[in-house]
Amino acid sequence: MNSFCQTGMIKGIVQNGVDKNPSPYMTIGLIQKSNLVKGTNSDLNGNFEIKNIVPGEYELEFSFVGYQTYTIPNIQVTNDSTTYLEIKYPCPNGNKNSKKVCPYGHRDNIVPIVYGLPTERTLKRASKGKCELGGCIITECDPKWYCKEHKIRF
C-alpha cells in the first residue's frame, strides 16, 4: 500500500519596516493552534523558506533577540502550493530622527546609545551618564535611546 502526502511551502523576505533593508537572522516560527510546527531563520539577505507544510491555517511569528515578537495570522497553506510573502518587520525604534520619548511617556533622563568601539571621549561621556554604550554588534533595528530612569533601551 502506498500513500502520498502533498504539502505546501512558504517563502519570503523580511525587510526592515523603516528603510526596507533586509532583516537578516530573524527567527521565524510556523504556529498552528498555539503550537510551534516548524521554524527557520532568515538569511543574510532576509530571505526565508519553510518546506513540507501540511495544508491548513497557520500564523508566522517573527522575532529578533531583544525585540517584541511580530505575528502574522491567517496564513493559508494548500497542497502543492508556494505562498510568497514580503514582510515589513516593524522596528521598535522608528527612524534615526525619531523623537526621544520613553515608552513610559516622559522626555527627560534620555540619552543616546553609542555603538562600536568607544573612543576615550565616548568613555568619559558614558561615565558621566551623557550616553549609553550599546556594544559592537549592530543590526537593522538597534535601539537609539536609553532611559536612565527606567533602565530601558528603545
Side-chain angles (χ1 to χ4, degrees):
M1 177 184 284
N2 290 333
S3 67
F4 297 96
C5 178
Q6 293 185 335
T7 59
M9 180 182 348
I10 298 175
K11 293 176 89 170
I13 185 168
V14 185
Q15 298 173 324
N16 178 323
V18 175
D19 56 18
K20 297 183 182 175
N21 285 327
S23 290
Y25 313 119
M26 296 287 297
T27 300
I28 304 161
L30 184 66
I31 311 293
Q32 187 176 49
K33 298 179 184 173
S34 300
N35 294 316
L36 177 66
V37 176
K38 292 182 179 232
T40 190
N41 291 311
S42 61
D43 66 14
L44 184 62
N45 297 314
N47 298 307
F48 69 94
E49 185 175 282
I50 304 173
K51 296 179 179 179
N52 301 320
I53 305 170
V54 175
E57 184 174 312
Y58 296 90
E59 293 181 353
L60 275 181
E61 190 173 271
F62 296 83
S63 61
F64 193 74
V65 177
Y67 296 99
Q68 185 175 5
T69 301
Y70 177 60
T71 304
I72 300 175
N74 306 321
I75 297 185
Q76 297 291 329
V77 176
T78 58
N79 286 335
D80 255 352
S81 69
T82 301
T83 302
Y84 294 94
L85 300 171
E86 187 174 310
I87 309 301
K88 304 285 190 268
Y89 185 76
C91 291
N93 60 311
N95 64 34
K96 293 179 181 177
N97 299 319
S98 62
K99 294 181 181 180
K100 301 180 284 185
V101 180
C102 173
Y104 291 97
H106 65 88
R107 295 176 185 264
D108 55 341
N109 290 323
I110 296 173
V111 294
I113 299 173
V114 179
Y115 293 92
L117 182 63
T119 63
E120 190 173 320
R121 179 175 178 257
T122 303
L123 288 172
K124 286 180 185 177
R125 289 183 66 226
S127 68
K128 293 178 182 178
K130 295 184 178 184
C131 70
E132 171 78 2
L133 299 178
C136 62
I137 298 175
I138 302 171
T139 67
E140 294 292 325
C141 292
D142 292 316
K144 306 285 186 236
W145 307 104
Y146 178 74
C147 174
K148 297 192 294 185
E149 183 176 329
H150 296 104
K151 297 183 179 8
I152 58 171
R153 294 175 177 205
F154 61 97

